[in-house]
Amino acid sequence: MKHSAILLVACPDRKGEVASIADFVYRHNGNILHADEHADEESGLFLMRVEFDPKDFALDLADFGKHFAPVAENFQMKWRLAQSSQRPRMIIFVSKYDHCLIDLLYRHQSGELACDIPLIISNHPDNQPLADFYKIPYAVVAITKDNKNQAEERIQALITEHTADVIVLARYMQILSNNFVNRYPQRIINIHHSFLPAFVGARPYHQAFERGVKLIGATSHYVTEVLDDGPIIEQDVVRVSHRDTVEDLIRRGRDLEKVVLSRAVRLHIESRVLVYGNKTVVF
Amino acid sequence: MKHSAILLVACPDRKGEVASIADFVYRHNGNILHADEHADEESGLFLMRVEFDPKDFALDLADFGKHFAPVAENFQMKWRLAQSSQRPRMIIFVSKYDHCLIDLLYRHQSGELACDIPLIISNHPDNQPLADFYKIPYAVVAITKDNKNQAEERIQALITEHTADVIVLARYMQILSNNFVNRYPQRIINIHHSFLPAFVGARPYHQAFERGVKLIGATSHYVTEVLDDGPIIEQDVVRVSHRDTVEDLIRRGRDLEKVVLSRAVRLHIESRVLVYGNKTVVF
Amino acid sequence: MKHSAILLVACPDRKGEVASIADFVYRHNGNILHADEHADEESGLFLMRVEFDPKDFALDLADFGKHFAPVAENFQMKWRLAQSSQRPRMIIFVSKYDHCLIDLLYRHQSGELACDIPLIISNHPDNQPLADFYKIPYAVVAITKDNKNQAEERIQALITEHTADVIVLARYMQILSNNFVNRYPQRIINIHHSFLPAFVGARPYHQAFERGVKLIGATSHYVTEVLDDGPIIEQDVVRVSHRDTVEDLIRRGRDLEKVVLSRAVRLHIESRVLVYGNKTVVF
Amino acid sequence: MKHSAILLVACPDRKGEVASIADFVYRHNGNILHADEHADEESGLFLMRVEFDPKDFALDLADFGKHFAPVAENFQMKWRLAQSSQRPRMIIFVSKYDHCLIDLLYRHQSGELACDIPLIISNHPDNQPLADFYKIPYAVVAITKDNKNQAEERIQALITEHTADVIVLARYMQILSNNFVNRYPQRIINIHHSFLPAFVGARPYHQAFERGVKLIGATSHYVTEVLDDGPIIEQDVVRVSHRDTVEDLIRRGRDLEKVVLSRAVRLHIESRVLVYGNKTVVF
């Protein structure tokens, strides 16, 4: 993969943002590899993602902010600069179901996911061998009704110790406290095994079976305080029929969950997802 | 299309139903063209659809019931015999949106839908020219807040006069009374413009836009007393993105609505849908 | 639909194109509504589509070229300016099959296709009533083995008389001469009823049936001298099974052909398709 | 999974096959769990799959053939009886690409694939650690231009030693000799990384990129003497765009290859695939 720098911008929509940003990159000898933007009419918000080749860039990227400040201030931009050379750190949470975990680990190893995985956290020891095979540290933090707070503190300490840019809940079957969730806004990615907003909550495949739907889905979203309600990053569905038992739905859903979660993770890692309101722009 | 007879059966699941039915058809010199069945474990129900060639059938199909009675009684079967030569009569309800109506009329004319359409009923005169083009009678029954009951009586009279085996709500924007609905159990087909059970009720595209989903859907179902809750016959989805405005969702959804409704109507007309509980088997 | 101006650009890829174009629009008080671009590594080509709001634009769009010339020359740009207020003129060619024609006419009438349709040309009179219903002139140019050249001359005269920006072959079952094709480069859109490059040529559904494929497709492409080989604009597929006869494939394929062709036509009309080599960029 | 017996039948199509088979099962106290059949009009062939519960079956399944012979002879049936309790033995061939292998091994371990895997054969040692993790024996048979015949003999000996009901080529990059292929008719399953019959042969993703298709595909088929031409079991596609480089196509294709191959393998293992001519019926 080529080295690239990615500028993410959000600001009130008015004339001249594209020109100002493009001009800034060009003036400092950056080559725009790809640019995409979106103006949300309802909120009057302008969102942009500019990927440029920093090879001949005249500025030290560490000083980018200092030089970009006048443009940013002029347009009241909130912005962030990502660099493909700085791989984000992703901590994976998992319980017993291993299909999403194995999928993420394989994609990581094969180079599809350009991130580092400093740690896997689980409330069960079951997936330790898998972590060992891929040589990723694996910490077990058992959770009971009585130790919930301490467990979260322990998890919190582990995250602080290993540092994480993003937390991925790969079928982690514990509900995180609001306190925890609020520490990582737009940085916790979950996979829910239904086509949200249908079948919120527990046992969505059973709910789908009961309702007799002809398609089942999976949804990857950022975690917010409201259960299964955060901004959706990616969704997909697969056709089912009356022949499919609940067990068939679960089996077929696993394939959906894997690809939907891994797509969402990849989009996040490549800085392609911008949140506005309770929605996402996926560039 | 070849002439065929279709036997639909529902009964408690026990050994020997398939053999008994197949034997009955064979004994009377019928050639089974296609057979499909489903045993629902939860309810212990057995459902079967047998399509056979009645050309050399030894019985007059009008007397089928008399001869089939011993088999039916032995297995406590509920059954129904359809014949492809007896085209079902379909009355279409429509309001102003014409995309589903035009789609159904075109498919009917081209031979895709093997039914007769004795009448279109609408609460608006707008689609009269379309009905005229396809030479289908078109009755306007205007509905106001004050005449709702009389309007339904008028509609009811029209249906009785023209006789209908199935009623298709092709984006008919009036809610039918329970009284009306209960007169036509499993015989009223609706198209709802969302992936049910997500976005029940009014303005589902607006709801989908608000929620920021990455796929929109359409659902065709039998109408029951509970709004948008009847047995689902067919569903499909299409991918959307942040670029799609509500207007785009509406436009793209039209294509979904058309194909989902027409598939459901075709399945129903070909006697491929069996309802059990609040679900369907689609053979 | 809002009024907008669309600038399409193709040039050798080098630094500064985005900045120069964005700056040009901004400097003349245009508001960029949407911009998209693509750099093709293999050919070193840069392609861009910029949609801007011309409401407060400081230049008369008729003089756009004069003012844009320095930018264009600097980057060796080939460019074109489209305006949503200038609806392209589309002439539809059709034979007997009417499903694509009716679909295009309906979408045109409902406002989905922002173009004018000055004429339908057919080698058969069959679709005259449909054209009449939608109030579009319909010219029959019968084609026999012996009058092929004269027929094309007659067609050519009709096109000249009515003027066409784009010609759509809506299941037109005659092969156009190279001479004809070369007069309208990237301006003739065809629908082929297979997933190209599989099943080139005649009777693709029969070929698909013979091969036992599990999906059938449709492909819309620009017509070039080589049969079924032009740049692909849009494709889609649908799942089939051993139960589907050739007639079923044809029936199910019709739905594919309609949506694939209409999507391609819409993309073309909105100036979203750029051809490079034998491929398309679809913005 | 419940224990079941599966009877597969192929015979000339005439009246009474369904009745005779259903009656045979019923007479011996078998409970039909599922039956499906297909009559191919062109070839006049009748194909059937009957799954029944052998729990109370009056015959020893080892003697099934002796008792079924009169029915079979009467209808000139070719038939086969499979039992879910007799897990088929699957040998996997692989080269360096590991994505299909890891997918099959994971599904096998998780219980999705009800088969035994006595051996993995590879022309490279690379995937030994993966085989070790899943505790499957792994044999390396290196292949050079000069040892091709001996290598195949060695492979043949390994297969004989371990016995295989089915051989799966999980991106095995060697072409098998006709001699080898003919020893295992309808028992070698390959995954080809294109939507066959498009892009036969080498480097199909490069071919797809060159042609500018808007969808890429994968096809799983039985291997015959003609390259990439055997009966197709399963196919699927995914949407791509001009943004996708060849590397993107390869990456996205991997996901397709995995699911298409594993679906085909599962269908084969469950005795759901019947070959007739160069096509398959998938029950």
Side-chain angles (χ1 to χ4, degrees):
Chain A
M1 214 162 91
K2 232 185 291 190
H3 184 39
S4 68
I6 296 149
L7 177 63
L8 296 166
V9 169
C11 63
D13 190 18
R14 47 178 257 237
K15 272 177 206 168
E17 305 107 331
V18 178
S20 298
I21 293 171
D23 177 64
F24 180 85
V25 174
Y26 177 49
R27 238 188 312 132
H28 297 95
N29 211 28
N31 189 25
I32 292 181
L33 300 172
H34 190 62
D36 205 346
E37 85 290 311
H38 179 63
D40 182 58
E41 281 196 42
E42 242 173 33
S43 60
L45 204 65
F46 173 84
L47 303 149
M48 188 165 189
R49 181 185 186 273
V50 182
E51 192 168 348
F52 63 94
D53 183 347
K55 194 165 42 112
D56 304 323
F57 203 57
L59 303 175
D60 188 335
L61 287 181
D63 296 334
F64 186 91
K66 203 169 61 188
H67 296 91
F68 189 61
V71 177
E73 273 157 35
N74 186 20
F75 288 94
Q76 300 171 265
M77 290 175 180
K78 289 204 256 182
W79 63 273
R80 185 164 75 80
L81 188 76
Q83 297 181 52
S84 64
S85 59
Q86 295 172 348
R87 292 160 67 94
R89 293 171 71 82
M90 171 169 89
I91 291 184
I92 303 175
F93 286 32
V94 72
S95 294
K96 288 191 172 179
Y97 294 130
D98 60 357
H99 54 285
C100 285
L101 176 65
I102 198 168
D103 190 66
L104 290 170
L105 294 180
Y106 174 74
R107 290 179 199 274
H108 174 253
Q109 185 207 39
S110 73
E112 273 187 41
L113 298 177
C115 62
D116 292 330
I117 306 180
L119 187 66
I120 298 164
I121 295 175
S122 180
N123 53 332
H124 294 287
D126 306 53
N127 287 311
Q128 178 84 54
L130 193 58
D132 292 347
F133 182 72
Y134 285 105
K135 302 192 176 61
I136 310 284
Y138 185 88
V140 178
V141 182
I143 297 183
T144 62
K145 251 190 295 186
D146 302 327
N147 79 342
K148 198 130 182 138
N149 284 347
Q150 300 97 300
E152 271 203 0
E153 275 170 36
R154 170 80 186 115
I155 289 171
Q156 178 56 44
L158 283 166
I159 296 172
T160 305
E161 182 192 340
H162 290 83
T163 77
D165 298 296
V166 60
I167 292 165
V168 174
L169 310 183
R171 296 300 308 274
Y172 183 65
M173 310 299 273
Q174 296 290 327
I175 294 184
L176 300 166
S177 72
N178 286 347
N179 184 35
F180 186 95
V181 166
N182 290 328
R183 274 191 200 156
Y184 307 97
Q186 300 167 20
R187 286 167 61 196
I188 309 177
I189 298 176
N190 186 40
I191 178 74
H192 183 74
H193 38 312
S194 85
F195 181 78
L196 288 177
F199 310 130
V200 164
R203 294 162 61 91
Y205 292 128
H206 290 78
Q207 294 183 54
F209 182 79
E210 281 308 308
R211 182 62 187 92
V213 290
K214 301 300 184 189
L215 300 163
I216 56 166
T219 305
S220 189
H221 62 95
Y222 289 113
V223 176
T224 59
E225 290 198 4
V226 185
L227 185 69
D228 299 333
D229 186 58
I232 293 170
I233 306 169
E234 172 64 342
Q235 303 188 286
D236 216 336
V237 296
V238 70
R239 190 161 282 271
V240 296
S241 82
H242 60 272
R243 300 227 173 280
D244 291 295
T245 60
V246 171
E247 287 67 38
D248 291 325
L249 300 191
I250 290 170
R251 171 179 56 80
R252 305 189 62 189
R254 281 200 296 260
D255 277 356
L256 267 185
E257 295 164 34
K258 287 192 288 192
V259 297
V260 168
L261 178 59
S262 71
R263 277 189 220 143
V265 166
R266 187 177 154 97
L267 290 167
H268 179 93
I269 282 174
E270 295 184 349
S271 300
R272 296 187 176 280
V273 190
L274 279 168
V275 175
Y276 65 106
N278 200 38
K279 296 192 202 180
T280 63
V281 161
V282 177
F283 284 132
Chain B
M1 216 163 90
K2 231 184 291 189
H3 184 39
S4 68
I6 296 150
L7 176 62
L8 297 165
V9 169
C11 64
D13 189 17
R14 47 177 256 239
K15 274 177 205 165
E17 305 107 332
V18 178
S20 299
I21 292 171
D23 176 65
F24 181 85
V25 174
Y26 177 50
R27 238 189 311 134
H28 297 95
N29 211 26
N31 189 24
I32 291 181
L33 301 171
H34 190 63
D36 207 345
E37 85 291 309
H38 179 63
D40 182 57
E41 281 196 41
E42 243 174 31
S43 60
L45 205 64
F46 173 84
L47 303 149
M48 190 166 187
R49 179 185 188 272
V50 182
E51 192 168 348
F52 63 95
D53 183 348
K55 194 164 43 109
D56 304 322
F57 203 58
L59 304 175
D60 187 336
L61 288 181
D63 297 333
F64 185 92
K66 203 169 60 188
H67 296 89
F68 189 61
V71 177
E73 275 158 33
N74 186 21
F75 289 93
Q76 299 171 267
M77 291 175 180
K78 291 205 256 181
W79 63 273
R80 183 165 75 81
L81 188 78
Q83 298 181 53
S84 64
S85 59
Q86 295 173 349
R87 293 160 65 94
R89 293 171 69 81
M90 171 170 88
I91 292 185
I92 303 174
F93 285 33
V94 71
S95 291
K96 288 190 171 179
Y97 295 128
D98 59 357
H99 54 285
C100 285
L101 176 65
I102 197 169
D103 189 65
L104 290 171
L105 294 180
Y106 174 73
R107 290 179 199 273
H108 174 252
Q109 185 207 38
S110 72
E112 272 186 41
L113 298 177
C115 63
D116 291 331
I117 306 179
L119 186 67
I120 298 164
I121 296 176
S122 181
N123 54 331
H124 294 286
D126 306 54
N127 287 310
Q128 177 84 56
L130 194 57
D132 292 348
F133 182 72
Y134 285 104
K135 301 193 175 61
I136 310 283
Y138 185 89
V140 178
V141 182
I143 297 183
T144 63
K145 253 190 295 186
D146 303 327
N147 80 343
K148 197 126 182 142
N149 283 348
Q150 299 97 301
E152 270 203 1
E153 276 170 36
R154 170 81 186 114
I155 289 171
Q156 178 55 43
L158 283 166
I159 295 172
T160 305
E161 181 191 342
H162 291 82
T163 77
D165 298 295
V166 59
I167 292 165
V168 173
L169 310 184
R171 297 299 309 273
Y172 183 64
M173 311 299 273
Q174 297 291 326
I175 295 183
L176 300 166
S177 72
N178 286 347
N179 184 33
F180 187 95
V181 166
N182 289 329
R183 275 192 199 156
Y184 306 97
Q186 301 165 21
R187 286 168 60 197
I188 310 176
I189 297 175
N190 186 39
I191 178 75
H192 183 74
H193 38 313
S194 85
F195 180 78
L196 288 176
F199 310 130
V200 165
R203 294 164 60 93
Y205 292 128
H206 289 78
Q207 293 183 55
F209 181 79
E210 281 307 310
R211 182 61 187 93
V213 290
K214 301 301 184 189
L215 300 162
I216 56 167
T219 304
S220 190
H221 62 95
Y222 289 113
V223 176
T224 57
E225 290 198 3
V226 185
L227 185 67
D228 300 333
D229 186 59
I232 294 169
I233 306 169
E234 171 65 340
Q235 303 189 284
D236 216 336
V237 295
V238 70
R239 191 160 282 272
V240 297
S241 82
H242 60 270
R243 300 228 172 281
D244 290 296
T245 61
V246 171
E247 287 67 38
D248 291 324
L249 299 191
I250 291 170
R251 171 179 56 79
R252 305 189 60 189
R254 281 199 297 258
D255 278 355
L256 267 185
E257 295 165 34
K258 286 190 290 192
V259 297
V260 169
L261 179 59
S262 71
R263 276 189 222 144
V265 166
R266 186 177 155 97
L267 290 168
H268 179 94
I269 283 174
E270 296 186 348
S271 300
R272 295 185 178 280
V273 191
L274 279 168
V275 175
Y276 65 107
N278 201 39
K279 297 192 202 179
T280 63
V281 161
V282 177
F283 284 133
Chain C
M1 215 162 91
K2 232 184 290 189
H3 183 39
S4 69
I6 296 150
L7 177 62
L8 296 166
V9 169
C11 63
D13 189 18
R14 48 178 256 240
K15 273 177 205 166
E17 305 107 332
V18 177
S20 298
I21 292 171
D23 177 65
F24 180 85
V25 174
Y26 177 50
R27 239 189 309 133
H28 297 95
N29 211 26
N31 188 25
I32 292 181
L33 300 172
H34 191 62
D36 206 345
E37 85 289 310
H38 180 63
D40 181 57
E41 281 196 42
E42 242 174 33
S43 61
L45 204 65
F46 174 84
L47 303 149
M48 189 167 187
R49 179 183 188 274
V50 182
E51 191 167 350
F52 62 94
D53 183 348
K55 192 164 44 111
D56 303 323
F57 203 58
L59 304 175
D60 188 336
L61 288 181
D63 297 333
F64 186 92
K66 202 169 62 188
H67 296 90
F68 189 62
V71 177
E73 275 158 33
N74 186 21
F75 288 93
Q76 299 171 267
M77 291 175 180
K78 290 206 253 182
W79 64 273
R80 183 164 76 81
L81 187 77
Q83 297 181 55
S84 64
S85 60
Q86 295 172 348
R87 293 161 66 93
R89 293 171 71 82
M90 170 170 90
I91 292 185
I92 303 174
F93 286 33
V94 71
S95 294
K96 287 190 172 179
Y97 294 129
D98 59 357
H99 55 284
C100 284
L101 176 65
I102 197 168
D103 190 65
L104 290 170
L105 294 180
Y106 174 73
R107 290 180 199 273
H108 174 252
Q109 184 207 40
S110 72
E112 272 186 42
L113 299 177
C115 62
D116 292 331
I117 306 180
L119 186 66
I120 297 164
I121 295 176
S122 180
N123 53 332
H124 294 287
D126 305 54
N127 287 312
Q128 178 84 55
L130 194 57
D132 292 348
F133 182 71
Y134 285 104
K135 302 193 176 61
I136 310 285
Y138 185 88
V140 178
V141 181
I143 296 184
T144 63
K145 254 192 293 188
D146 302 326
N147 80 342
K148 198 129 179 133
N149 283 348
Q150 298 98 301
E152 269 203 3
E153 275 170 36
R154 170 82 186 111
I155 289 171
Q156 178 56 46
L158 283 166
I159 296 173
T160 305
E161 180 191 341
H162 290 83
T163 77
D165 298 295
V166 59
I167 292 165
V168 174
L169 310 184
R171 295 300 308 274
Y172 183 64
M173 310 299 274
Q174 297 290 328
I175 294 185
L176 300 166
S177 72
N178 286 347
N179 184 33
F180 187 95
V181 166
N182 289 328
R183 274 192 199 157
Y184 306 97
Q186 301 166 19
R187 286 167 61 196
I188 309 177
I189 298 175
N190 186 39
I191 179 73
H192 183 74
H193 38 313
S194 84
F195 181 78
L196 288 176
F199 310 130
V200 164
R203 293 163 62 91
Y205 291 128
H206 290 77
Q207 294 183 54
F209 181 79
E210 281 307 311
R211 182 62 186 91
V213 290
K214 301 300 185 190
L215 300 162
I216 56 167
T219 304
S220 189
H221 63 95
Y222 289 113
V223 176
T224 58
E225 289 198 3
V226 185
L227 185 69
D228 300 332
D229 186 59
I232 294 170
I233 306 169
E234 172 66 340
Q235 303 188 285
D236 216 336
V237 295
V238 71
R239 191 160 281 271
V240 296
S241 83
H242 60 271
R243 301 226 172 282
D244 291 295
T245 61
V246 171
E247 287 66 40
D248 291 325
L249 300 191
I250 291 170
R251 172 179 56 80
R252 305 189 61 190
R254 282 201 295 261
D255 277 356
L256 268 184
E257 295 165 33
K258 287 191 289 192
V259 297
V260 169
L261 179 60
S262 72
R263 278 189 220 143
V265 166
R266 187 176 154 97
L267 290 168
H268 178 93
I269 282 174
E270 294 185 351
S271 301
R272 295 185 177 280
V273 190
L274 279 168
V275 175
Y276 66 107
N278 201 39
K279 296 192 202 180
T280 63
V281 161
V282 176
F283 284 132
Chain D
M1 214 162 93
K2 233 184 288 187
H3 184 39
S4 69
I6 296 150
L7 176 63
L8 296 166
V9 169
C11 62
D13 190 18
R14 48 177 255 239
K15 272 178 206 167
E17 305 106 331
V18 177
S20 298
I21 292 171
D23 177 64
F24 180 85
V25 174
Y26 177 51
R27 239 188 311 133
H28 297 95
N29 211 29
N31 189 24
I32 291 181
L33 301 171
H34 190 62
D36 207 346
E37 86 290 310
H38 179 63
D40 182 58
E41 281 196 41
E42 243 173 32
S43 60
L45 204 64
F46 173 83
L47 303 149
M48 188 165 188
R49 181 186 187 273
V50 182
E51 192 169 350
F52 63 95
D53 184 348
K55 194 163 44 107
D56 304 323
F57 203 58
L59 304 175
D60 187 336
L61 288 181
D63 296 333
F64 186 92
K66 203 169 63 188
H67 296 90
F68 189 62
V71 177
E73 274 157 35
N74 186 21
F75 288 94
Q76 300 171 266
M77 290 175 180
K78 289 205 256 181
W79 64 272
R80 184 164 75 80
L81 187 77
Q83 298 181 53
S84 64
S85 59
Q86 294 172 348
R87 292 160 67 94
R89 293 171 71 82
M90 170 169 90
I91 291 184
I92 303 175
F93 286 32
V94 72
S95 292
K96 287 191 171 177
Y97 294 129
D98 60 357
H99 54 285
C100 285
L101 176 65
I102 198 168
D103 189 66
L104 290 171
L105 293 180
Y106 174 74
R107 289 179 199 274
H108 174 252
Q109 185 208 39
S110 72
E112 273 186 42
L113 299 177
C115 63
D116 292 331
I117 307 179
L119 187 66
I120 298 164
I121 295 176
S122 180
N123 53 332
H124 293 287
D126 306 53
N127 287 311
Q128 177 84 54
L130 194 57
D132 292 348
F133 181 73
Y134 284 105
K135 301 193 177 60
I136 310 283
Y138 185 88
V140 179
V141 182
I143 296 184
T144 63
K145 252 190 295 186
D146 302 326
N147 79 343
K148 201 133 176 128
N149 283 348
Q150 299 98 299
E152 270 202 1
E153 275 169 35
R154 170 81 186 115
I155 290 171
Q156 178 56 43
L158 284 166
I159 296 172
T160 305
E161 180 191 342
H162 291 82
T163 76
D165 298 296
V166 60
I167 292 165
V168 174
L169 310 184
R171 296 299 308 274
Y172 182 64
M173 310 300 272
Q174 297 290 327
I175 294 185
L176 299 166
S177 71
N178 286 347
N179 185 33
F180 186 95
V181 166
N182 289 329
R183 274 191 199 156
Y184 306 98
Q186 299 166 22
R187 285 166 63 197
I188 309 176
I189 298 175
N190 186 40
I191 178 74
H192 183 74
H193 38 312
S194 85
F195 181 79
L196 288 177
F199 311 130
V200 165
R203 294 163 60 93
Y205 292 128
H206 290 78
Q207 294 183 54
F209 181 79
E210 281 308 309
R211 183 61 187 92
V213 289
K214 301 301 185 190
L215 299 163
I216 56 166
T219 304
S220 189
H221 62 95
Y222 290 113
V223 176
T224 58
E225 289 199 4
V226 184
L227 186 68
D228 299 333
D229 187 58
I232 293 169
I233 306 170
E234 172 65 342
Q235 303 188 285
D236 215 336
V237 295
V238 69
R239 190 160 283 271
V240 298
S241 83
H242 61 271
R243 300 227 172 281
D244 290 295
T245 61
V246 171
E247 286 68 38
D248 291 324
L249 300 191
I250 291 171
R251 172 178 57 80
R252 305 189 61 189
R254 281 199 297 259
D255 277 356
L256 267 184
E257 295 165 34
K258 287 191 289 191
V259 298
V260 169
L261 179 59
S262 71
R263 276 189 221 143
V265 166
R266 187 177 154 95
L267 290 167
H268 179 93
I269 283 174
E270 296 185 348
S271 300
R272 295 186 176 280
V273 190
L274 279 168
V275 175
Y276 65 106
N278 200 38
K279 297 192 202 180
T280 63
V281 161
V282 177
F283 283 133

